[in-house]
Amino acid sequence: MHRFMQRGMVILFASICFLLSGIKAFAQEMPSDYQEVLKSLDRKGDFKAGVLKVNIPRNDLKMTIQGFSTPTPFGFGGWVALTKAADGSDVMMGDLVLLQDEVNPILSALLDKGIDVTALHNHFFWDDPHVFFMHVHGMGKAADLARQVKPGLDLIGHVKPEAAAPASSGGTPLDTAKLAKIVGHDGEQSGAVYKITVGRDDLGMKEHGAVINARMGLNTWAAFVGTQEDAAIAGDVAMLENEVTPVLKALRKNGLDVVAIHHHMTGDRPVVIFLHYWGRGPAEKLAVGFKAALDELGKGSKQ
């Protein structure tokens, strides 16, 4: 009996050791290149279900919604994630939680390094401070993706807000003829606003046999207000998926801020993404920026 108990204890001990070694091995399953990603980004993360998830929480923000305190796990924990593609390369996706003043500097930093930005929108109403959520995408080697995304991540929490200049009290009225010439399309005057609308008839979109044209919302537009010296521009760009990154780069290169990237329709073919933007400065400069974005549209159909 004593010998039987001894044998049972040995088996139990061996089983526990095996179990512990299995747990230890599971904890060490993270690929070495993913371990290097965490070191490179100087962030914490975990590896589960074949995915490395890097945590980018906004613990620096004291968030409230309608005055109700909402801690970071409530919906303010940003992240990027990597997983292996069939060819051994990596696919990266992520969702960054950004203050309004952080959006465009980080957008530019990511675009400059080859990271795509695929959506920009809010998740909440009445949040204080007001935050936006930026979705990112990249493909390549894990180490390269880490290097590409790092400059953008390093800006989170470190962008100084720019003071808005007061609107000028006088100046030259908008030269709408000059703006139309720069853009290459005529616009319409509505009170103090001059608006240029350009349809995407090149897409030939239909729904249930009905033609979806500019009047149905399939258009790109720019609205100008102010003076020739100090104007504001706002607008919307209707883009195919492969046009998103070129348009973003064109707008940012010309100093225009991107404020939203999202769908307006579901079930549309081809898929069309809409981008809303804003800018302020000399009217001609704003028109040049809009024209640069407009020139990125329809290139496939022009070849």
Side-chain angles (χ1 to χ4, degrees), residues 102-148:
E102 296 171 336
V103 168
N104 281 278
I106 290 173
L107 174 60
S108 290
L110 294 172
L111 292 173
D112 289 346
K113 295 298 183 180
I115 299 297
D116 292 331
V117 174
T118 56
L120 175 65
H121 51 208
N122 60 302
H123 285 190
F124 299 96
F125 287 153
W126 311 292
D127 48 331
D128 184 19
H130 194 35
V131 293
F132 285 82
F133 293 76
M134 180 185 288
H135 298 261
V136 300
H137 176 268
M139 294 188 66
K141 294 181 179 180
D144 293 336
L145 290 171
R147 283 193 292 270
Q148 289 172 282

Side-chain angles (χ1 to χ4, degrees), residues 231-254:
I233 186 174
D236 196 359
V237 184
M239 309 163 292
L240 295 175
E241 293 170 289
N242 64 350
E243 295 170 340
V244 174
T245 296
V247 168
L248 285 172
K249 289 182 176 180
L251 292 172
R252 293 303 299 140
K253 183 178 179 181
N254 286 276

Side-chain angles (χ1 to χ4, degrees), residues 11 31 35 53 70 81 84 87 91 99-100 111 121 127 132 160 175 181 204 247 255 260 267 275-276 296:
I11 294 173
Q35 294 177 27
K53 195 160 189 180
T70 49
K84 297 295 180 184
D87 62 359
V91 176
L99 296 172
Q100 294 179 104
L111 292 173
H121 51 208
D127 48 331
F132 285 82
K160 294 182 178 180
D175 188 336
K181 184 177 181 180
V247 168
L275 177 157
H276 298 262
E296 297 296 336

Side-chain angles (χ1 to χ4, degrees), residues 246-280:
V247 168
L248 285 172
K249 289 182 176 180
L251 292 172
R252 293 303 299 140
K253 183 178 179 181
N254 286 276
L256 298 180
D257 289 334
V258 178
V259 297
I261 309 168
H262 54 206
H263 288 86
H264 284 188
M265 300 171 281
T266 58
D268 50 325
R269 296 294 182 271
V271 175
V272 178
I273 310 296
F274 291 83
L275 177 157
H276 298 262
Y277 66 91
W278 151 270
R280 184 176 170 188

Side-chain angles (χ1 to χ4, degrees), residues 136-177:
V136 300
H137 176 268
M139 294 188 66
K141 294 181 179 180
D144 293 336
L145 290 171
R147 283 193 292 270
Q148 289 172 282
V149 78
K150 191 176 190 305
L153 301 188
D154 286 348
L155 286 175
I156 296 176
H158 300 287
V159 175
K160 294 182 178 180
E162 292 186 9
S168 57
S169 57
T172 308
L174 288 176
D175 188 336
T176 56

